[in-house]
Amino acid sequence: MTEASRSGLVVMKFGGTSMGSADRIRASAALCAGEAGKRPVVTVVSAMSKVTDLLLDTLRHAEGGDRDGMESNIATLAQRHRETCEELLPENAREAVLAGIDELVSEFRRIANGVHMLGERPARSVDEAVAIGERLSALLMASYLQSRDFPAAAVNAREVIVTDAVFGNATPLMGLTREKAAAALGPLLEKGILPVVTGFNGATADGRATTLGRGGSDFSASILAASLDAAELWIWSDVDGILSADPRLVPGARVLDLVTYAEAAELAYNGAKVLHPRTLAPLVSRRIPVWSKNSFAPEKPGTKIVPAIPDPIGPRAVTSMANVALVSLEPASPELTGTKLMGRAFEALAASGAEVLALTSSSYRQSFCFLVRGDELALALQAVESALSLELAHGYVKPVEVDTEVGLLAIVGEGMRGVTGMAGRIFTAVSREGVNVIAIAQGSSELTIAIVVRREGLEKAVRAVHEECGMGGPP
Ligand code: ASP
Ligand code: MG
């Protein structure tokens, strides 16, 4: 790829709501065409809103032998995209695109039929099938741009992003992706053609279809930005940027103008919905800045995510997760130390793939507890209980305790380190509301303070912390 074709290159990613209707596709296309007049642009698109859920649901119907449910979903899929196409494109441009839509829908039906016949959903077939959502939206976006005489081409990321073979949650192989991205997208950019690349999907080096996990189109965009040495990555969604709190819980929440990679990543991992948690990692070594912007209000400045900010100012934002569970373990015999127990439990958890969100321990009782997502609780328990089955049976370990009536609060901000009394102020604010703090975990980076509280006090605690730390800005 030549220097000229990628100097100043910007990768622009549009989420499901930004692709959700003919009007939204028009608006998103105008945003990338406007920028592409000034510098090279690569666009990454999500499936139209709710389409991925629909595709997954269809495969579940197929697996369960419910052919009617499967066919009715496929009809909805075809209709949604055909209608959008008819609304989006002038009559003379429609025929070929409608045929393209039908072909992709047939491809999906073929895979769903296979699932129906087998009575099971092999992970790799699922990945191949769900990518159809993004292929449909890329087709619509590229066709619309072409109909406006703007050179554009839909590109299947299967030809661009190379991943490992962890179907459903694959990780990119960056060296191979770099080569493939240059080979697939370089020639288009050199000819002044805007590539509209499918988000969410990729393929293994030997060509098997993979996906990057739910919400993975953000990650696709950052993988491409890093592979193409982009100058910037813009993530277009339906919110104004990264907020100091969820505005549904905190009416005074505000958009942050500048946050660091580390802050944005902590917020994403702790439940903020604005970015897929893995998005920032590929950008760190190349220091590529990211803009989080609202395609419904593009005139708003949005949030800029940068490697570092000169004078970090303590707590910036608070997030929360309501659907979590606290699991407690305690040895019941002096033969088994807490450390040994922890080692065994975490080895099992790591092998299960369940993620530990927070962890605290007590040296006196040798007990410890950890927090997992509600939807990974069964997986985590199964892993821990089977690894410790003998100890549990013989009473060396007390029965595992689970508390699902808890919530997680995370306060995030560079520069909390060194601010004496910060944690104290936060706890005082939470307890002033009468909310019971169950556990506390502060990472050694001091970037995040995580607090586990009783579930019914979670919202109150979020508002109290937001207020106490002045996150809404100067009064
Ligand atoms: N369409 C995929 C999903 O819904 C990927 C994405 O939207 O980022 O998970
Ligand atoms: Mg998303």
Side-chain angles (χ1 to χ4, degrees):
M1 218 163 139
T2 65
E3 267 310 303
S5 67
R6 66 176 172 197
S7 100
L9 179 112
V10 40
V11 174
M12 283 198 175
K13 179 258 169 177
F14 294 91
T17 49
S18 303
M19 298 296 290
S21 66
D23 276 348
R24 297 317 310 160
I25 294 176
R26 257 184 223 116
S28 297
L31 290 169
C32 47
E35 202 60 31
K38 299 177 224 154
R39 52 180 171 168
V41 172
V42 169
T43 296
V44 174
V45 293
S46 286
M48 295 180 78
S49 47
K50 309 227 166 62
V51 164
T52 308
D53 289 336
L54 178 71
L55 297 174
L56 287 168
D57 184 61
T58 312
L59 297 177
R60 277 190 293 269
H61 282 296
E63 180 184 35
D66 173 11
R67 178 166 286 283
D68 291 347
M70 177 186 130
E71 283 302 338
S72 111
N73 276 7
I74 293 176
T76 307
L77 177 74
Q79 192 188 359
R80 170 111 184 255
H81 290 89
R82 288 185 67 102
E83 277 174 13
T84 305
C85 172
E86 274 159 11
E87 218 181 305
L88 189 62
L89 298 180
E91 215 170 334
N92 61 1
R94 276 180 214 160
E95 200 180 321
V97 182
L98 287 172
I101 290 172
D102 290 346
E103 207 170 294
L104 287 168
V105 172
S106 302
E107 198 174 325
F108 180 74
R109 178 183 279 108
R110 262 200 307 280
I111 302 170
N113 273 332
V115 168
H116 184 261
M117 234 156 65
L118 279 172
E120 64 178 297
R121 282 177 294 158
R124 44 182 297 191
S125 307
V126 172
D127 278 2
E128 191 170 348
V130 287
I132 303 273
E134 272 69 13
R135 290 170 65 195
L136 285 162
S137 65
L139 171 66
L140 287 172
M141 172 82 117
S143 307
Y144 173 68
L145 285 161
Q146 289 159 7
S147 79
R148 307 299 308 238
D149 291 326
F150 195 98
V155 177
N156 186 346
R158 202 173 161 161
E159 313 302 330
V160 183
I161 293 178
V162 186
T163 72
D164 64 14
V166 179
F167 300 102
N169 196 25
T171 295
L173 306 176
M174 292 303 287
L176 291 174
T177 300
R178 206 177 164 76
E179 286 167 26
K180 237 182 156 170
L185 306 179
L188 293 172
L189 291 170
E190 265 147 43
K191 281 184 241 151
I193 298 171
L194 177 90
V196 180
V197 186
T198 57
F200 191 36
N201 71 325
T204 59
D206 59 3
R208 290 170 293 159
T210 55
T211 59
L212 302 168
R214 290 309 304 273
S217 296
D218 293 344
F219 193 25
S220 307
S222 78
I223 294 165
L224 287 185
S227 303
L228 298 167
D229 296 319
E232 289 174 14
L233 167 60
W234 292 18
I235 302 225
W236 293 96
S237 69
D238 56 2
V239 290
D240 290 342
I242 297 182
L243 282 107
S244 57
D246 183 339
R248 287 165 305 181
L249 301 183
V250 184
R254 70 177 173 124
V255 178
L256 303 171
D257 51 359
L258 206 59
V259 305
T260 66
Y261 288 158
E263 287 171 334
E266 288 282 346
L267 288 169
Y269 275 105
N270 285 292
K273 297 261 159 17
V274 62
L275 276 184
H276 185 276
R278 293 206 278 169
T279 306
L280 295 159
L283 307 172
V284 172
S285 66
R286 296 177 201 277
R287 305 175 72 82
I288 300 169
V290 185
W291 287 94
S292 162
K293 284 175 74 78
N294 189 346
S295 79
F296 292 70
E299 69 291 348
K300 292 193 179 162
T303 299
K304 188 174 188 187
I305 309 168
V306 295
I309 45 183
D311 300 302
I313 45 161
R316 313 282 313 282
V318 51
T319 59
S320 59
M321 282 165 88
N323 183 18
V324 291
L326 194 66
V327 180
S328 305
L329 282 171
E330 185 173 346
S333 133
E335 268 102 273
L336 188 65
T337 65
T339 313
K340 270 191 204 147
L341 183 58
M342 233 190 253
R344 300 271 303 281
F346 282 101
E347 203 175 325
L349 282 169
S352 77
E355 193 185 346
V356 172
L357 301 168
L359 157 74
T360 57
S361 65
S362 141
S363 52
Y364 165 59
R365 284 171 57 202
Q366 299 277 306
S367 64
F368 64 95
C369 59
F370 58 88
L371 195 76
V372 293
R373 285 178 224 287
D375 54 13
E376 291 185 351
L377 174 63
L379 187 69
L381 277 182
Q382 212 267 324
V384 169
E385 285 178 339
S386 74
L388 297 170
S389 58
L390 276 179
E391 288 82 352
L392 284 162
H394 293 292
Y396 292 132
V397 177
K398 293 191 179 165
V400 181
E401 277 176 34
V402 177
D403 189 346
T404 54
E405 287 303 305
V406 296
L408 174 74
L409 194 75
I411 298 101
V412 174
E414 303 257 15
M416 283 210 283
R417 99 200 84 209
V419 183
T420 39
M422 200 64 246
R425 269 175 59 197
I426 290 170
F427 299 134
T428 311
V430 170
S431 32
R432 209 184 293 132
E433 296 295 319
V435 176
N436 196 353
V437 172
I438 300 169
I440 301 155
Q442 184 170 26
S444 51
S445 68
E446 290 187 43
L447 187 73
T448 300
I449 299 178
I451 309 177
V452 181
V453 297
R454 291 251 66 88
R455 171 68 191 85
E456 76 266 5
L458 184 62
E459 281 89 9
K460 261 196 283 182
V462 170
R463 284 191 282 273
V465 167
H466 194 266
E467 173 79 41
E468 174 66 34
C469 300
M471 289 167 176

